[in-house]
């Protein structure tokens, strides 16, 4: 197999939540594969720092994906990148932990908006444009272990990540025959700001580590290969799938 199949040279990519954590690692991987990448985050400081650190080909855009009209957001992304978007990665996400019986309604709504509604609406708008222009594309949603398993004290997060996988399957069914592939990546436990409360709990840390066949937690950069693969021609016949990157957790 030619290594060119994995090349993203000449392609324009957007990574929401690209200012830190898994989103930043994915942005770095796409850029290293040759893509021009727009990193999106609500925090201007974060995206500016990532763009400066990753160098040429990575462009910052401070934007709240939950607080703007999708058409306005895609216009801004296309203006920044200088043309139509080829690859969209939904890495923006939030978490809130509480027991199901105590879970606050406002927190439920906040997670559904950020983790599920916002990425669907953004893909909906970009997909509409790609279909109208008869352009191919790759949309990549970020799920989690919660896309296929339950996570205690994370009812809303589990619901949104299950929903993300459902959206990816549905969009794939509707769009893949017209050139747009839609897939999902399911990260296991990686040490980021989102998962830090878990790592701070010594008992839970040990219990989770014991469940991972590889015997360790993931490093954010280990997620980049999956994103490059799903964005590239190397996965040209793969759509509607979830690729678990979890050290074997869901296989055990």
């Amino acid at each position: 197999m030619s290594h060119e199949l994995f090349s993203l040279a000449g392609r324009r990519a957007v990574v929401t939540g690209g200012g830190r954590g898994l989103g930043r690692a994915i942005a770095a991987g796409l850029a290293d594969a040759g893509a021009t990448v727009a990193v999106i985050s609500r925090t201007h400081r974060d995206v500016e720092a990532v763009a400066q650190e990753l160098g040429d080909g990575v462009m910052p855009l401070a934007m709240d994906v939950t607080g703007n009209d999708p058409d306005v957001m895609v216009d801004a992304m296309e203006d920044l990148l200088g043309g139509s978007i080829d690859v969209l990665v939904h890495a923006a996400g939030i978490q809130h932990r509480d027991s199901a019986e105590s879970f606050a309604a406002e927190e439920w709504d906040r997670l559904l908006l950020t983790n599920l509604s916002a990425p669907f609406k953004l893909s909906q708008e970009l997909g509409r444009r790609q279909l109208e222009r008869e352009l191919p594309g790759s949309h990549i949603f970020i799920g989690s272990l919660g896309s296929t398993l339950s996570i205690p004290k994370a009812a809303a997060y589990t619901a949104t990540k299950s929903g993300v996988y459902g959206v990816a399957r549905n969009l794939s069914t509707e769009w893949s025959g017209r050139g747009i592939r839609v897939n999902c990546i399911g990260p296991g436990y990686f040490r980021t700001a989102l998962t830090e409360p878990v790592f701070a709990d010594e008992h839970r840390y040990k219990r989770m580590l014991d469940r991972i066949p590889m015997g360790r937690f993931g490093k954010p950069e280990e997620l980049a290969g999956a994103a490059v693969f799903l964005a590239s021609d190397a996965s040209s016949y793969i759509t509607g799938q979830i690729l678990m990157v979890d050290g074997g957790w869901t296989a055990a």
Side-chain angles (χ1 to χ4, degrees):
M1 178 183 290
S2 171
H3 292 302
E4 288 302 311
L5 285 174
F6 293 90
S7 173
L8 299 177
R11 301 191 191 183
R12 302 180 183 94
V14 169
V15 180
T16 71
R20 60 178 67 181
L22 300 184
R24 182 207 171 282
I26 289 171
L30 298 179
D32 190 57
T36 302
V37 183
V39 289
I40 314 297
S41 173
R42 289 180 297 181
T43 308
H44 187 273
R45 181 180 65 254
D46 286 349
V47 290
E48 288 287 349
V50 169
Q52 184 174 4
E53 182 180 350
L54 298 183
D56 293 342
V58 178
M59 303 178 181
L61 182 60
M63 177 182 293
D64 183 354
V65 294
T66 69
N68 293 280
D69 291 334
D71 58 335
V72 172
M73 289 191 288
V74 178
D75 280 346
M77 294 169 188
E78 290 184 339
D79 287 345
L80 180 66
L81 291 170
S84 298
I85 297 163
D86 303 292
V87 178
L88 173 59
V89 182
H90 298 287
I94 57 175
Q95 172 64 295
H96 178 76
R97 299 179 184 278
D98 202 352
S99 61
E101 66 271 20
S102 302
F103 211 96
E106 58 270 21
E107 291 297 338
W108 176 274
D109 292 341
R110 186 172 71 97
L111 264 71
L112 260 66
L113 173 61
T114 302
N115 295 357
L116 185 58
S117 296
F120 168 72
K121 291 176 182 179
L122 188 55
S123 266
Q124 180 185 44
E125 176 59 27
L126 177 59
R128 183 184 294 122
R129 297 186 191 203
Q130 290 170 326
L131 293 170
E132 289 174 352
R133 298 166 184 171
E134 297 184 344
L135 295 174
S138 176
H139 296 225
I140 302 170
F141 289 78
I142 303 300
S144 81
L145 295 174
S147 297
T148 59
L149 305 172
S150 61
I151 300 176
K153 294 191 174 181
Y157 188 78
T158 302
T160 61
K161 293 305 182 178
S162 298
V164 156
Y165 182 27
V167 167
R169 296 198 310 270
N170 225 84
L171 294 182
S172 170
T173 300
E174 295 191 36
W175 293 349
S176 61
R178 292 180 282 173
I180 301 173
R181 296 185 300 108
V182 187
N183 289 289
C184 193
I185 296 173
Y189 278 100
F190 292 73
R191 192 156 197 164
T192 67
L194 191 67
T195 58
E196 194 57 39
V198 174
F199 285 85
D201 183 333
E202 185 177 347
H203 175 71
R204 191 173 182 187
Y205 178 97
K206 176 66 166 55
R207 182 163 50 87
M208 290 192 308
L209 192 62
D210 289 343
R211 282 200 57 177
I212 302 173
M214 289 187 73
R216 65 177 179 84
F217 296 102
K219 303 171 186 175
E221 58 268 23
E222 291 181 301
L223 206 63
V228 170
F229 172 61
L230 292 175
S232 73
D233 291 340
S235 62
S236 59
Y237 200 54
I238 297 176
T239 188
Q241 304 301 310
I242 184 166
L243 175 55
M244 301 304 297
V245 186
D246 64 359
W249 182 304
T250 51

